[in-house]
Amino acid sequence: MSESGFLWGGATSCAQSEGGFGEGGRGQCHLDFVDYVPPERRIDRRGTFEVSLDRYRANKSLGERLNAPFRRGNDFFHRYKEDLALLAEMGFKCFRTSISWCRLFPTGFEEHPNPEGLSFYRRVFSECRRLGMEPLVTINHYDTPIELVERFNGWESPEIIPHFLKFARAVIDGLGDLVRYWIPFNEINMAMCSPYMGGALFVERSEKGRAHVIHQSIYHKLVASALLVAYARSVNPSARLGAMLGRIEPYPLTCDPRDVARSLLEDQLNLYPVDVMARGFYPPRSISYFKENGFEIERIEDDERILHEGTVDFISISYYMSYVVSGQDEKREPIGDLVKNLKNPYIHSSDWGWGIDPEGLRITLHRLYDRYGLPVFVVENGLGASDTPGDDGRIHDLYRIDYLRDHIGAVRRAIEEGVDVMGFLVWGCIDVPSASLAEMSKRYGLVYVDADDYGRGTYRRQRKDSFFWYQKVIASNGEDLG
Ligand code: BG6
């Protein structure tokens, strides 16, 4: 932070922010079929997060009647100028968003990109540049054209890779003069938690077992990522490409060696996709773990070379929480699942049960920098909370300020201790529907959006107290966290 190039800012994704459903030649993606499930109908967290084939079919049959929050987002498609102006007013140096695959290739099978889609993103990133904000572009933040999902079972099949590369090349060719920082895939490990969201696949459609199909889909993404990285560098040597990990810092429940060993394994599995992206090969422990679970990854010809030649320049993470791992089977869910909440008595949790742990962020930053020796970029952090306007009609989100103060403080300490951190981005900087629950009530923004879980509201933007606080933080380059 002491250096002037620190990238302060915020992040969203196209599916969670844009809306503009059916406009500008946009096709449909798999997230368009995720419905909002009200709390009283939720069975468990997994039930909302994971869309089964049956639920997908039922949702599809509802057509326009489906309450599908990702079709609405926060209406960024129509309000991007106003939104970017608000972010610039806060002093943002960097704005991260993603490109809608089905806005460029409505079914995924077209030969050439939809010019209207490309022109939308050119306007967005030109406006960012005009306002002095560096765009950070996630090429794919989950959303996958539904025709590709139906034909290939998403990322289960290697046949999706050429379609993805056609899309990625169109993005790099069409936007490369405006964008220098790229992330091929959001949270490359996410399919382990939610195969539908992260892998665009239905595990029950596959002949492979659950673990096999999940890790197979991650493998296909890793190959696609490496090919993309090599392409981006070949057309623009100054492009900077990053891995992106959904990081949840695991702690052993006790000093019982079984707890410690299990926590180590969770860590190895959380990190292996980034090991591949940073080092160019699968770490041995991931391969032995696949074997222990009775499968091997089916590999593509020449993949060793491909993975080796497509390594990244930086490691980016989302970080929201730590969690506690037990070595005893009955105390934990299957590996990598998000997340059996064993109570950590030393920290508090958010209203959504996520363990609030700034020290965990400092630990994570050290761990990643020690492991890879590459710059680390916190591209998502923030507090999901329900914001209620006070008597004066304003949002006094002091809880969010507290959360961010502590986490930015942790980043600052890590930097002082020697970690090379590129920047810090607040997730969902303008309220968006939550990814895991498809609900607007779980808000992360510094800017409030007047919309509810059913899409009712004016969508009017309003600055929260955290807006003015973050403005001060950025102006002081992180010195004034008061
Ligand atoms: C990350 C995702 O996992 O966490 C975002 O990249 C997501 O898309 C964010 O919104 C927060 O999670 P949630 O489920 O609270 O929205």
Side-chain angles (χ1 to χ4, degrees), residues 35-44 47-48 55 59 67 454:
D35 54 318
Y36 167 68
V37 180
E40 64 278 10
R41 280 192 19 232
R42 288 176 198 160
I43 300 159
D44 58 21
T48 6
R55 181 169 157 204
N59 286 354
N67 179 8
Y454 297 87

Side-chain angles (χ1 to χ4, degrees), residues 266-313:
E266 289 268 348
D267 205 34
Q268 287 168 318
L269 289 176
N270 179 253
L271 291 171
Y272 93 77
V274 177
D275 290 342
V276 178
M277 293 178 82
R279 297 167 171 162
F281 58 89
Y282 269 70
R285 184 61 183 109
S286 60
I287 293 167
S288 63
Y289 171 80
F290 301 155
K291 278 210 180 102
E292 283 160 23
N293 282 274
F295 67 90
E296 277 179 36
I297 297 294
E298 288 141 32
R299 302 174 60 166
I300 288 165
E301 205 187 317
D302 211 15
D303 67 343
E304 277 186 23
R305 184 191 57 79
I306 293 170
L307 295 176
H308 180 73
E309 289 179 0
T311 54
V312 293
D313 304 300

